[in-house]
Amino acid sequence: MQLTDKDLVSIQEVRNLMKEAKEAQKQLATMNQEQIDKIIKAIADAGYENAERLAKMASEETGFGIWQDKVLKNAFAAKNVYESIKDLKTIGVIAEDPGKQTMDIGVPMGIIAGIIPSTNPTSTVIYKAMISLKGANAIVFSPHPNAAKCILETVKVISEAAEKVGCPRGAIGCISTPTLQATNELMKHPDTGMILATGGPAMVKAAYSSGHPALGVGAGNGPGFIDKSADIKLAIKRILDSKTFDNGTICASEQSVVIEKCIEDKVVAEFKAQGGYFLDEEQSKKLEKFIIRPNGSMNPQIVGKSVEYIAKLADISVPSNARVLIARENRVGHNIPYSREKLGPILAFYVEDNIDAVLERCRSILLNEGAGHSFMIHSEDKEVVKKFALAMPVSRIPVNSPGALGGIGATVNMMPALTLGCGSIGGSATSENVGPMNLINIKRVAYGVRELEDIRGTNSSSYNICTGSMESEVLIDLLVKKILNQLK
């Protein structure tokens, strides 16, 4: 394929950024924990102080979501994530166990390649910069072309703040001419230590095919189950809070609701009372044409858009108080749009005969798309929660919480994060909410505590337990066994 001038310029820019990042990372690697933590604090403060301005830029540039909610996402990245990582030891000796005579040493991975999506651009930059620098890594960002301006501005804000407190120049870089070729160059560059890939399935697949370690996330298509034991009014409030937050752009938000038939009337009435609009059959057919593109991918026309915008797009009439569009469904499949991920205020609605059918429906939705990501359950029955938790093929299960905010760790006690691992079933290298400990190598130091003779059980009974060459408890056990054998 012939490259254009823009492609060539972007590739050269990546090489220049990587050269600067490599030199900067060498300096970061010489810093102690206190110096690194000072840099992290500066990034957090700058992100928080500019949260509103950056949110407005992101909303205006991408056309996705609600700027007021993006302010909260920026603040979440700058404060919640910071508070959760500020006391972590990541530099030098990070753990010691005198009893076991072991020591752990944190080692930077080097340069992190940060792939940034258009749905959560500014908050993801703040978050990825902090968790990368926390481990003395440099980071080079590849922005989504549709969000390049707000991403570049966020990088400028946090890098300037970091440099004022001693961060070497070039430790936080960003491609200013985003192209596919530039992103590929970044991911395949020989100095890339780890790829943090947040984006569509094709981007994540490319990250894992780059030849470098990668932490990518799969599609989110989490069902929300309302159990008959739940506080139905509160459960629906939480689901609507989740699905309307930033117009559904967080991938952990509910994509469908599954219930038992015995509570159908109560649930439908409560959804309607709180602004859930149930589409009739004709409206449902009109809208489903705009959910998935012919190539099978999600249609960006609905992503992060309001109910009013989506209704107009699909040429359907909905009440002015409608908060979320709900379509009844009884099928699951790649070609069934409502059973797929919908990053907008659209929900599928499934009604099953009994709880076992609900469980199987939720599993089928996840195994069709979203395996490894998230499942939400609203229930006051702990045995039901346990039953579903054991059965669901996911990595996180917020209980009695808005999925979008629970999944990222804002309303539950999980690691606050904007990159959510999906485990092996979701094609991800981790099932965790990604944090600084995922971005360092750990060097293990362990003193010898046993000799070969001790392992074989042939050591002399006259061995001196005070020599310190093995733990006394282990030695005493061996001596007792030897004496007992001699007495037989």
Side-chain angles (χ1 to χ4, degrees):
M1 181 178 66
Q2 186 176 358
L3 298 179
T4 67
D5 290 345
K6 183 180 179 182
D7 299 324
L8 293 171
V9 167
S10 67
I11 291 172
Q12 185 58 52
E13 183 184 21
V14 170
R15 293 173 181 171
N16 294 341
L17 288 168
M18 291 297 286
K19 184 178 180 180
E20 293 175 6
K22 187 174 183 178
E23 292 304 312
Q25 199 279 319
K26 288 179 182 177
Q27 297 179 53
L28 288 171
T30 66
M31 293 183 176
N32 59 34
Q33 190 74 67
E34 184 180 357
Q35 290 171 309
I36 290 294
D37 289 347
K38 196 174 182 180
I39 292 170
I40 304 307
K41 179 68 161 59
I43 294 172
D45 289 345
Y48 189 78
E49 290 165 7
N50 290 273
E52 182 174 323
R53 182 172 69 87
L54 295 173
K56 288 179 177 178
M57 284 187 67
S59 183
E60 182 179 347
E61 183 178 4
T62 65
F64 294 161
I66 302 166
W67 74 262
Q68 292 90 340
D69 290 344
K70 291 187 184 297
V71 174
L72 292 180
K73 286 199 285 191
N74 288 340
F76 169 80
K79 286 300 179 186
N80 294 52
V81 173
Y82 172 74
E83 289 296 325
S84 73
I85 71 173
K86 67 178 183 179
D87 296 325
L88 285 178
K89 290 184 177 180
T90 54
I91 308 298
V93 178
I94 61 175
E96 289 184 272
D97 189 328
K100 293 183 177 180
Q101 298 190 52
T102 61
M103 178 170 59
D104 294 349
I105 298 172
V107 180
M109 287 186 168
I111 303 173
I112 309 299
I115 315 301
I116 306 298
S118 55
T119 46
N120 306 296
T122 55
S123 53
T124 304
V125 167
I126 297 166
Y127 153 73
K128 287 188 177 181
M130 284 199 301
I131 65 171
S132 297
L133 272 291
K134 177 71 176 179
N137 302 294
I139 184 165
V140 175
F141 290 109
S142 174
H144 192 287
N146 294 341
K149 290 180 181 178
C150 63
I151 291 170
L152 282 162
E153 180 61 20
T154 307
V155 171
K156 179 175 180 289
V157 165
I158 63 174
S159 60
E160 286 181 353
E163 287 169 22
K164 286 179 181 178
V165 296
C167 183
R169 186 176 180 83
I172 307 171
C174 186
I175 301 168
S176 63
T177 309
T179 65
L180 181 59
Q181 288 75 18
T183 302
N184 287 333
E185 179 72 14
L186 175 63
M187 292 194 295
K188 295 180 179 180
H189 195 282
D191 291 329
T192 295
M194 171 65 80
I195 302 168
L196 271 182
T198 306
M203 179 60 69
V204 173
K205 184 177 180 180
Y208 279 117
S209 303
S210 68
H212 290 298
L215 292 175
V217 297
N221 189 34
F225 166 44
I226 304 175
D227 182 37
K228 55 179 172 286
S229 70
D231 180 330
I232 291 176
K233 184 175 183 178
L234 187 54
I236 289 171
K237 173 196 176 295
R238 289 165 174 159
I239 291 171
L240 292 177
D241 283 348
S242 172
K243 200 58 179 167
T244 57
F245 185 79
D246 204 24
N247 280 341
T249 55
I250 293 182
C251 55
S253 61
E254 293 83 352
Q255 305 299 315
S256 56
V257 172
V258 189
I259 63 168
E260 285 186 82
K261 191 168 184 60
C262 61
I263 60 170
E264 180 181 3
D265 291 344
K266 289 182 181 179
V267 170
V268 170
E270 192 57 47
F271 260 121
K272 289 179 177 179
Q274 295 191 40
Y277 178 72
F278 284 81
L279 302 168
D280 62 32
E281 188 174 351
E282 182 182 356
Q283 291 173 324
S284 180
K285 288 181 178 179
K286 280 186 174 182
L287 177 56
E288 73 176 357
K289 296 176 183 177
F290 292 89
I291 295 174
I292 302 297
R293 293 187 291 188
N295 65 1
S297 63
M298 192 190 322
N299 187 350
Q301 287 182 289
I302 66 162
V303 175
K305 296 298 193 296
S306 67
V307 164
E308 294 78 12
Y309 181 94
I310 294 172
K312 185 176 181 181
L313 180 71
D315 191 26
I316 58 178
S317 177
V318 301
S320 59
N321 66 341
R323 299 173 64 199
V324 171
L325 303 176
I326 304 173
R328 289 181 176 271
E329 187 56 89
N330 56 21
R331 304 162 299 161
V332 173
H334 184 75
N335 296 321
I336 310 300
Y338 289 111
S339 72
R340 301 278 306 276
E341 183 181 38
K342 307 165 289 295
L343 296 182
I346 303 170
L347 282 170
F349 189 73
Y350 293 87
V351 179
E352 305 298 334
D353 289 337
N354 54 59
I355 195 166
D356 290 330
V358 168
L359 188 148
E360 287 307 314
R361 177 67 73 187
C362 291
R363 280 183 56 84
S364 68
I365 291 170
L366 287 162
L367 293 174
N368 178 58
E369 183 176 42
H373 205 288
S374 305
F375 167 74
M376 282 60 67
I377 181 169
H378 300 268
S379 176
E380 297 301 320
D381 188 330
K382 291 186 177 180
E383 289 305 311
V384 169
V385 172
K386 187 183 294 185
K387 176 178 180 176
F388 275 75
L390 289 169
M392 290 302 114
V394 294
S395 301
R396 57 198 55 78
I397 302 177
V399 180
N400 298 330
S401 167
L405 300 171
I408 64 173
T411 56
V412 302
N413 290 322
M414 291 184 191
M415 169 71 189
L418 291 171
T419 295
L420 311 180
C422 295
S424 58
I425 194 170
S428 179
T430 182
S431 59
E432 297 178 11
N433 283 16
V434 176
M437 303 309 289
N438 299 103
L439 300 180
I440 63 170
N441 293 310
I442 299 178
K443 189 186 300 182
R444 314 284 184 181
V445 180
Y447 285 80
V449 296
R450 288 173 289 277
E451 300 296 339
L452 177 59
E453 292 81 3
D454 301 316
I455 298 170
R456 286 176 172 166
T458 59
N459 209 354
S460 170
S461 62
S462 62
Y463 189 83
N464 183 359
I465 66 172
C466 297
T467 60
S469 60
M470 70 183 300
E471 294 178 89
S472 59
E473 294 87 350
V474 176
L475 179 58
I476 290 169
D477 185 54
L478 288 170
L479 290 175
V480 169
K481 287 180 180 179
K482 194 169 187 71
I483 292 169
L484 290 173
N485 287 333
Q486 290 173 347
L487 292 174
K488 287 181 180 179

